Amino acid sequence: MSTIPTDATIDITDVVCPITFVKVKVALEDLADGQRLLVHLNEGEPIENVPRSLKDEGHKVLSVNRNDDGTYDLVVEKGGLSA
């Protein structure tokens, strides 16, 4: 679990690409610029694609931590380019 304070959390371990990024994007829409979202996601395509897509959209990936069960926790800060 991340030690960076977050404003919201989303668990996308039950969905597959490309829906993973869609779910994260929708969750970010509820946040103001500068707020942080903790994303719990699976290894493989989600951890390869979601951080890259977030950066492409102008968001800042602050941390990516691998959990003991093979899942990941990613903290992203909403950027101003996504509005």
Side-chain angles (χ1 to χ4, degrees):
M1 193 56 92
S2 172
T3 58
I4 298 173
T6 57
D7 300 288
T9 302
I10 184 172
D11 183 342
I12 57 169
T13 56
D14 61 340
V15 294
V16 295
C17 286
I19 304 302
T20 50
F21 180 63
V22 172
K23 292 249 185 191
V24 173
K25 193 169 178 176
V26 168
L28 283 169
E29 287 176 2
D30 292 336
L31 300 179
D33 287 348
Q35 286 190 302
R36 296 173 178 164
L37 176 68
L38 172 67
V39 183
H40 186 65
L41 65 168
N42 289 321
E43 61 187 347
E45 280 188 73
I47 195 61
E48 292 169 15
N49 296 332
V50 171
R52 182 180 62 239
S53 296
L54 287 167
K55 289 176 187 174
D56 289 348
E57 295 259 326
H59 305 294
K60 188 183 300 181
V61 175
L62 301 177
S63 71
V64 177
N65 296 305
R66 189 176 195 280
N67 300 310
D68 292 337
D69 63 359
T71 62
Y72 288 81
D73 288 324
L74 177 149
V75 177
V76 58
E77 184 177 289
K78 183 174 179 177
L81 301 178
S82 63

